[in-house]
Amino acid sequence: MVEEEEESLRVVRSGGSELSFRRAVFSADSKYIFCVSGDFVKVYSTATEECVHVLQGHRNLVTGIQLNPNNHLQLYSCSFDGTIKLWDYLDGILIKTFIVGHKLHALFTHANAEDSVFVTVNKEKPDVFQLVSVKLPKSSSQEVEAKELSFVLDYINQSPKCIAFGSEGEYVAAVRDFYLSVYFFKRKKTSRFTLSSSRNKKHAKNNFTCVTCHPKEDCIATGHKDGKIRLWRHFDDDKKYTYTCLHWHHDRVMDLAFSVTGTSLLSGGRESVLVEWRDAAEKNKEFLPRLGATIEHISVSPAGNLFCTSHSDNKIIVIHRNLEATAVIQGLVKDSSILTGLMIDPRTKALVLNGKPGHLQFYSLQSDKQLYNLDIVQQEYINDYGLIHSQLTRAAFGCSGNWLATVEQRQEKETELELQMKLWTYNKKTQGFVLNTKVNMPHEDHITALCFCNAEKHETPTLVTASKDGHFKVWILTDDSDIYKEAVGWTCDFMGSYHKYQATNCCFSEDGSLLAVSFEEIVTMWDSETWELKCTFCQRAGNIRHLCFGRLTCSKYLLGATENGILCCWNLLSCALEWSTKLNITVMEPDPNSENVAAVSKSSVGSDLFVFKPSESRPLYVQKNICREEVQWGVFVPRDVPESFTSEAHQWLNRSQFYFLTKSQSLLTFSTKSPEEKLTPTNKQLLAEESLPTTPFYFILGKHRQQQDEKLNETLENELVQLPLTENIPAISELLHTPAHVLPPASFLCSMFINSLLLSKKTKSTEEIPDDVDMEEEKESDSSDENDFTEKDQNTSTTDLAEDGEDIIHQLSKSEERELRKLRKVDYSWIAAL
Amino acid sequence: MAAGGGGVADPLTPAGIPCAFSPQSQAYFALASADGHLRVWETGSNRLHQEYVPSAHLSGTCTCLAWAPARLQAKESPQRKKRKSEHIETSNQIDLLALGTAVGSILLYSTVKGELHSKLTSGGHDSRVNCIQWHQDNGCLYSCSDDKHIVEWNTQICKVKCKWKGDNSSVSSLCISPDGKMLLSAGRTIKLWVLETKEVYRHFTGHATPVSSLMFTTIRPPNESQPFDGITGLYFLSGAVHDRLLNVWQVRSENKEKNAVMSFTVTDEPVYIDLTLSENKEEPVKLAVVCRDGQVHLFEHILNGYCKKPLTSNCTIQIAAPGKGKKSTPKPIPILAAGFCSDKMSLLLVYGNWFQPTIERVALNSKEPHMCLVRDISNCWAPKVETAITKVRTPVMNSEAKILVPGIPGHQAAIKPTPSQTKEVENKRKLGGNEVSIEERLGALNIESNKGKADLPQTNSFPVLLAQALESNDLEMLNKVLQTRNVNTIRRTVLRMPLHAVIPLLQELTKRLQGHPNSAVLMVQWLKCVLTVHASYLSTLPDLVPQLGTLYQLMESRVKTFQKLSHLHGKLILLVTQVTASDKTKGMTCPEQKAKLVYEEESSEEESDDEIDKDSDDNWDEDEEEKESEKEEDVDEENAEEDEEEEEKDEEIGEDRDVASEKELNGDSDLDPENESEEE
């Protein structure tokens, strides 16, 4: 947060931040889904896939989110910045900040641990993590210090997948390497179970990868590196513990989750298949295959009707209970490496770059949404480790989006290079791309650059490919018609080379009359009419990394950036070096709408941005340290509506916007708006109150409720009386659920039962007794753990029948005793009334 | 078909189906179809974004809809501070959609949450809602209805703010002035209301039928001499049911003029109108009118004062589906709606049917008065769930695509004679023309050879058949001829074939060589014969380089790895011979005294190898020097020699046959570059 004076441009993140870093969390009613995304928490609607709110406030990576167990309309989040924040997610408001101070790696909550949450912190050594519980102090102030940490478990794994809280919060299970440790809160005892980790083949991959606990029973499910799932039971005893194995995954189990009722277990891994194990049996499996990418996380909605899987390609799939994908929340797909760079599709104005393996993704910057993936390679992608797939390495759009050239390569060994170039034409009739020409091995070595001639006056579409084999090829569209059909196809028109140097870059001048091809250190200029070599430029300053022509008034200049950190500008009229400067440029992009060229240079601290005109020696705009990482790609995106910034520093943003992609694949851009102004829209947004009309159902149920309300108002004092009555109902049900052989005779119970029903009327009509009952009720609730001696004393005046009943009751469980006692009291009061 | 959904019983209801593009970036297109479903489409990816069925969709069908203005955006201001990596606020998120129904209620639907947000009923209309307009700033909503009233709603609390009688008959359309202080309403007459006092400011009359659309076209008056009070001098546009004219009106300061200033004429009743506001005097108003007949008319006009004659459109856009066969006539596809993109240079067209419309962005840069776009929407029907989930589009890869592999013409640049070379060739030909003797001599040679061969009557060759086949390009005959395996037959045929058939034959062979390698094996025999026999003829051709360029490239690409292979082969031979030799020497070393003899044997072996090489080299040298007939004999001789050599040399035979066969291949490939060099 370095604040500089007079700096009005800020770097802002634009879309595509990671969604699958941590498990997504459902809201209690399954309407919303929360996911961490960089420094923010995003709230999505599960129905429409739309982002409803962005909760911003953390100053570092958000590492965990959990619903507040005490108020399901609130959300806790923790971050590397050492704070836990409490949010109201419906309105997107920050309620409270708890400052813990340590770097927090994961967050857990549990209903039984009322005012404390559990976090993972790092102590001293880099790889040693501890689970601690943080007491959240109750305070009205916005920022509270929460320093009261109590230690729970040591030496655990950093990932939140490796920690799970058991049913009712009685225990916590953590896995690491080859052992599972379970900590029992009540007994304050840790049990540890170790799997054999011998080096032989059978047990070599026994590592634990994830853990989850059954919501109802004492059962822990663990996932392993070899694809096995183990279900542990009786782990409260160090000796008697057992486990059963489920094995379907052939590779590491990435995540596990029990359904809300615990009847089925969900698992996923690199196979990108969601497996549902019903009744924890190996036979009863259901699959949801073809989810596209490795399943990283699985979560289950508290309502139980939805699941969701987070995938490595930055998407979240919302899946219905019956294993049917209903919604996809897709961010910018993060491929292992972006080879194609950033492009703008002239037709849809979408950002185009590598997407899923072998696909091109079209990303709408306006709506911050992925439009679609275009399957270029059209080969089945097998999600398995160690397989080498065809990669999409280069792509270019030509002729206002009518042509798309793609290059894919697959190289298993050094000598086995497979290259394929495909030229797609946009078919307006069907509104889609159609393959026009496929070229096998267009070059004998890697293709380093690909460019279309985009000059308007150029009639025949022209494409140039430059390759490491020392040649560049010019491809033109020719007429391939024969007597059977009318067709056009691409053919090679010219093949040029220069002293067997590797061709590294190529670009056309704005009017298409000149082609510049760089051969290592040398730039050659070719006439695009005759393909004659016109002249060469050489600065002996290292291989040319970037090459571009100036535009509009600067079209007589050619810019070249070399690997040794020299930026050269040549004048094409005088064929001489105009100027050069020392700048280690990683990205150089000309603005298609103006003369400006943006260059990003790498320095020791970070990356710096320079915007300049080739004709002027002074840069128009310099911004140091735009980001800490290296910038890999950049692109100017033409604005639909030109802005009118008057200040000199902003003028270069008038007609286009500059987007750039860093090494960690976050897409950034520049914004002139202040943070305050950025924040205002959410406050100013059109606030329309929800007011839904009354339905016929409302008239039926609502009237009934109104009547009830009226009654309640009438007998406000009786409210307390009614409460025990409602509590009576489970008592009766429990009575009914008790096995018949332990129950007193029906004749005896019948009278009690009827009496209990009779009482309800009485309590309403007579106002003296309720106080009695109430008092007793309170006592009972207070002394629930006490033994029944005192109560026996109270009940000495009961009838013989009741005493008989008591004998039987002694055989019943405590809770049942209590219930029956209630009935007894009821009975007593009734007699008293008589 | 066009706007067929609009076929409602009442003839005076507008023909269109309620639909609208979302404001600002036109990211969504909302459409309330006749079956009562509200569908929101993504314009960028042409995907169904969401679908909503109001609970009372059968009784109270949607009659009009309007997007709420985007959440307010703060304006630009210069002095700011810097902060790192902050998220771009999706500040222009589009959310609420207001739907008017036939029973008089208004629904507010949240597209972000995908659920009904609120319902405005109490104190509102009791009859069909005709038009809804959001106020651009204060979040108010204005609606008009058949019950003759106009209602102002406060959407924040969902209550009626004000309700007043707008006309003596039903109020059919509304529009809010650009400054947000006035409201236009259309009933029997068009009225301009002051919103604050709800008083009528101006009357306009001119339409005979109910006005279906009202729109302000300018936000600044044309003459800026007078101070601008927010309304005076502005133009607005109106379209009516069953009216092929769109009228333009001007709000005047004096209350005299009540008639339209000018009018635009279209081919049918307007169904959907969109325009770009002109912000200054010079900028023309762009108007896109979708008519009931499925066409879009584009107007571009600078509004200034009167024009008596109705203006016709600058451009008409139509869409048609291609016919199935060649002769069938294309079918028109109705355009349902058209909206200008924010850059004002392209148009979003919605066409097809109401249930699965196609949305396309069309650039407006052509000056043609008529655009007919041919679109195939037959496969658009059938929404696929899977694509909706994976968002993967598969581009078409059909067999019609051209495939270039190394060696096929087009994969590499065709060999063209450079200008200087062609000149040389021309010179050569001229020289030849002058001298004549060479050609004559060659001809004589050919004739002689032909004569010589003709003496011997031979039946086992088919030069005539081949020539005929090449002439007629008869595939069957060609196959019959070219699939012979007998080397002698091939040789004789080639020898006796007419000269003019040589080039066609070569081209035919080239074509066949591009096929499967197995079939190419046969062709190699032919090629070898032709090249050896007719080398001299070929060398006389002036345009040989371009004619045989593809063949040359093909062979080069085919034998690209051959050089390496032969290197490897040579090395292997060397190794094998050395190994066998060392074995032998080992065998010989046992008697130690005879060590010298072993040395001798080695040397003799090497010598023999050298001899072979030399022999073959000599042979080739001779080939180059000698004429084709002799060459051919030479080849025979060479073969014979090789045979003899093989018989002589134990080791050679001992290795394997492959070596010999590869040698033959080697000879083949070597022939061609040599020929090339000869020609040059």
Side-chain angles (χ1 to χ4, degrees), chain A residues 10 13 48 50-51 369 373 375 378 428-429 435-436 438 440-441 491-492 672 674 687-689, chain B residues 28 49 75-76 80-81 86 88 93 112 117 156 375-376 391 393 395-396 402 404 410-411:
Chain A
R10 290 168 312 110
R13 197 165 288 180
T48 63
E50 294 265 0
C51 180
K369 252 189 210 167
N373 272 299
D375 190 356
Q378 304 204 359
K428 282 180 185 158
K429 274 186 201 172
L435 184 69
N436 179 271
K438 186 165 90 175
N440 281 326
M441 290 303 287
T491 50
C492 180
T672 50
S674 70
L687 288 172
E689 199 176 87
Chain B
Y28 299 109
H49 180 240
K75 286 279 179 215
E76 205 58 44
R80 290 307 150 216
K81 286 169 205 158
E86 176 189 338
I88 275 199
Q93 198 175 19
V112 171
H117 189 75
Q156 268 143 39
R375 297 290 181 263
D376 188 6
K391 292 188 180 175
R393 279 195 194 174
V396 183
K402 183 178 173 182
L404 293 177
H411 187 269

Side-chain angles (χ1 to χ4, degrees), chain B residues 332-353:
Chain B
I333 301 171
I335 299 174
L336 309 176
F340 283 99
C341 296
S342 45
D343 62 352
K344 298 185 182 179
M345 288 308 295
S346 45
L347 196 64
L348 279 169
L349 290 181
V350 183
Y351 56 88
N353 57 38

